[in-house]
Amino acid sequence: MEIHISSLFPEILAMIFNYLDVKGKGRVAQVCTAWRDASYHKSMWRGVEAKLHLRRANPSLFPSLQTRGIKKVQILSLRRSLSYVIQGMPNIESLNLSGCYNLTDNGLGHAFVQDIPSLRILNLSLCKQITDSSLGRIAQYLKNLELLDLGGCSNITNTGLLLIAWGLHNLKSLNLRSCRHVSDVGIGHLAGMTRSAAEGCLSLEHLTLQDCQKLTDLSLKHISKGLNRLKVLNLSFCGGISDAGMIHLSHMTQLWTLNLRSCDNISDTGIMHLSMGALRLYGLDVSFCDKVGDQSLAYIAQGLYQLKSLSLCSCHISDDGINRMVRQMHELKTLNIGQCVRITDKGLELIADHLTQLTGIDLYGCTKITKRGLERITQLPCLKVLNLGLWQMTEVKGLGDASEILPCYTS
């Protein structure tokens, strides 16, 4: 007796279809009514984000998404009103509008006209027409928001941050990358330093301030006093912060990851301040800080020895600095020392002898290393990723087992 697939219960079909990717799930729904019903089982779509081009009216679109239990939406292009989405998905949890250049304050204002308690994630990155006016709407109607991405929204000012600090008390992640008008005053609002106007976003755990050029060490003072739940802080390309600001950050006991990439005024002294505080960092990036050298590695070994990821690309470090560091860094998993042109085979041998837990290393542009040093590195038992970049591939042929690792480049 043969059993055809059409004889299977919808629940069994749903279990089978669950092995398909999102595109495959959509295709089986078009085969027949039975397969469509099976493919609409909510278990198949749990956590899936629908990616939509909103160009013309489609009455069946949002009922179909709701039937499947989809609550996450990314708008790839927006030629219809945003209110069309909000009205069609009243229980929406995540809305990604990244790169929707034609989205304006007026369009967002027409969409957010009442409380949307289900919305937890809102991505407005690169929506360059958005201003503080929209943040007022968001603060008023999206009070349960936990993640807000404003990266590249260059018209946001300190007033917008005051509105966020007034209304979004559940916010855990905020991205302000390249918000060029944001200054110490705005960070003070977020940290609750102006309580007469706003309580602040004191639940923040992730804060990205990359390329916010108006920030100074006063912002770091505000952060250390008010945002003591912060776990991840990105200050890369913030040229206004200095070694003195590191004293404030050194007291943040909950901070896990600190990014100081291309902060030109950070030197060995700043790393000393970090290492002498109460920090228990797992990730530190000081790449392209050209005032960071071998002495920083000694400080790191003394006070930040629990690091699992350390990035020092283009820093003025040498084999001597590596020698000062490696004996204490037993938990290090990732080491990025690309473009550190003073590192030689001796440094690689020290790394191979002591950093036995390394899973990834970046040696891009380390022009003084040779086949001998690479042979030692490729013997690391846990190594999975090796980036050589500028290396001449003809020089590394014939490394035996290393040939399995060399293609696994990152860039």
Side-chain angles (χ1 to χ4, degrees), residues 132-299:
D132 297 335
S133 175
S134 287
L135 296 187
R137 288 275 183 172
I138 291 168
Q140 182 176 2
Y141 295 120
L142 309 183
K143 292 189 179 297
N144 290 330
L145 210 60
E146 296 179 1
L147 185 153
L148 177 60
D149 192 334
L150 299 171
C153 295
S154 53
N155 289 315
I156 299 301
T157 73
N158 294 327
T159 300
L161 298 194
L162 177 60
L163 294 169
I164 290 174
W166 167 74
L168 303 182
H169 298 153
N170 294 324
L171 202 62
K172 294 183 179 179
S173 179
L174 177 62
N175 186 350
L176 297 171
R177 174 181 54 81
S178 299
C179 291
R180 60 188 178 185
H181 298 299
V182 168
S183 70
D184 300 332
V185 174
I187 303 304
H189 293 327
L190 293 178
M193 296 295 107
T194 51
R195 287 187 177 274
S196 59
E199 180 179 332
C201 299
L202 307 187
S203 296
L204 273 177
E205 297 179 358
H206 294 70
L207 179 59
T208 297
L209 299 172
Q210 177 181 337
D211 195 31
C212 291
Q213 295 295 328
K214 289 189 176 181
L215 302 187
T216 72
D217 294 332
L218 180 57
S219 285
L220 306 189
K221 183 178 181 180
H222 292 329
I223 288 170
S224 66
K225 284 190 172 183
L227 303 180
N228 50 30
R229 298 183 187 179
L230 211 59
K231 296 178 180 178
V232 178
L233 178 59
N234 186 341
L235 296 164
S236 58
F237 298 92
C238 290
I241 65 173
S242 71
D243 292 333
M246 300 303 102
I247 298 175
H248 302 302
L249 296 186
S250 70
H251 303 302
M252 300 187 67
T253 57
Q254 300 300 312
L255 196 62
W256 292 351
T257 302
L258 177 61
N259 190 337
L260 299 169
R261 189 181 186 92
S262 294
C263 292
D264 296 334
N265 292 314
I266 299 299
S267 70
D268 293 335
T269 302
I271 305 304
M272 177 190 70
H273 292 323
L274 292 176
S275 66
M276 293 178 65
L279 284 175
R280 291 294 180 266
L281 286 179
Y282 295 124
L284 176 63
D285 190 344
V286 290
S287 297
F288 302 97
C289 295
D290 57 12
K291 297 177 183 177
V292 169
D294 287 338
Q295 187 58 50
S296 286
L297 298 189
Y299 293 138

Side-chain angles (χ1 to χ4, degrees), residues 51-69:
K51 300 180 187 296
L52 308 175
H53 290 280
L54 293 185
R55 295 171 177 166
R56 58 181 182 272
N58 184 351
S60 66
L61 174 59
F62 293 116
S64 170
L65 295 178
Q66 290 195 69
T67 300
R68 286 177 277 180

Side-chain angles (χ1 to χ4, degrees), residues 377-391:
I377 283 294
T378 53
Q379 291 171 9
L380 282 166
C382 302
L383 194 66
K384 296 178 181 178
V385 177
L386 172 61
N387 181 20
L388 299 176
L390 295 179
W391 247 79

